[in-house]
Amino acid sequence: MFSPEGPSLRELAVQALSSVERGYDLLAPKFDHTPFRTPDSVLSAVTTALTRTGPYDDGLDLCCGTGAGVDVLAGVCRRSVTGVDFSAGMLDVARQRVGVDGPRVDWVRADARALPFAPAFDLVVSFGAFGHFLPRELPGLFAQVHSVLRPGGCFAFPLVAPPGPASPAYWMLLGFDAVMRVRNAVWRPPFVMYYRAFRLGEVRSELARAGFQVELQALREFGRQRDGSPRVRMVVARRRTD
């Protein structure tokens, strides 16, 4: 499915009926051949944007998967890069795939809701992982990110503008979320993956409550919508120096 190297429909069904952790362990060897991986165009645009505000010393890729965000960090961090994920399968693939010259790279298996780090990072990034967190989990998640950043440190991630009701993508994502809610109501363990649960307004409010100063940067490479708003933004949340 998706490409000859990607998972089959049967494999996806088995993964979807597993827990999130087990599902991604199974998906890991073929993850980079699915649409679930953040496109290279987005990774490149974020790298360019971060280059304008860096360099940074130590970076963390939150929910790193197979390590695409680690490649971004390696381009803007001088000393060290760390990838953290709770899927052992994803980390195994990342270790084999990612080889960078420059900063030291470390891999840590941990839950993003309980990060095992001191305030040791200048930059935290994340790509495509927030659909795995329920809205009620965002305060705790953002508090964890805040706790591992040094004063003045930055939490950055891209956010694509949601499609409008006139777009087929709107109804496709709405249908996907509805199917997942039904699946989680009748099947255990749950598989949390909701495309429409991470809304910009709520995200900004929760980041501010966690102690961040928040700004939005348009990623100009993706242009603007008909109403003039950016198609893709980078959320930049900075830990206050006080």
Side-chain angles (χ1 to χ4, degrees), residues 96 105 209:
Q96 298 170 27
V105 178
R209 285 179 57 192

Side-chain angles (χ1 to χ4, degrees), residues 46 49-50 53 56 60-62 72-73 122-127 130 145 149 153-159 207 212 215 217 233-238:
V46 170
L50 290 174
T53 61
Y56 301 88
L60 175 69
D61 183 8
L62 187 75
V72 172
L73 290 173
D122 306 295
L123 175 63
V124 176
V125 298
S126 194
F127 296 92
F130 296 119
V145 176
L149 280 169
C154 181
F155 178 31
F157 53 88
L159 199 58
L207 285 168
F212 288 101
E215 65 175 280
Q217 298 180 10
R233 294 179 171 95
M234 186 171 73
V235 178
V236 180
R238 194 170 297 277

Side-chain angles (χ1 to χ4, degrees), residues 224-235:
R224 293 183 175 271
Q225 304 186 97
R226 290 184 177 179
D227 63 2
S229 62
R231 294 186 185 278
V232 185
R233 294 179 171 95
M234 186 171 73
V235 178

Side-chain angles (χ1 to χ4, degrees), residues 7-139:
S8 66
L9 183 59
R10 180 183 180 279
E11 287 173 322
L12 285 174
V14 171
Q15 292 152 13
L17 294 175
S18 307
S19 66
V20 179
E21 180 179 351
R22 177 59 177 158
Y24 274 96
D25 284 347
L26 295 170
L27 180 60
K30 299 182 178 181
F31 179 77
D32 287 342
H33 302 288
T34 74
F36 308 131
R37 181 189 181 275
T38 302
D40 288 338
S41 58
V42 174
L43 298 171
S44 177
V46 170
T47 302
T48 300
L50 290 174
T51 300
R52 291 194 291 266
T53 61
Y56 301 88
D57 286 329
D58 304 290
L60 175 69
D61 183 8
L62 187 75
C63 306
C64 66
T66 56
V70 168
D71 292 331
V72 172
L73 290 173
V76 298
C77 292
R78 295 178 291 196
R79 186 162 55 199
S80 74
V81 173
T82 301
V84 62
D85 203 282
F86 77 158
S87 166
M90 286 287 188
L91 291 172
D92 286 343
V93 173
R95 289 188 186 96
Q96 298 170 27
R97 190 189 71 81
V98 177
V100 299
D101 295 324
R104 184 186 77 248
V105 178
D106 299 308
W107 305 100
V108 177
R109 186 183 180 195
D111 192 321
R113 295 164 292 192
L115 293 172
F117 306 112
F121 301 100
D122 306 295
L123 175 63
V124 176
V125 298
S126 194
F127 296 92
F130 296 119
H132 295 301
F133 299 95
L134 297 171
R136 66 173 181 269
E137 295 178 304
L138 292 185

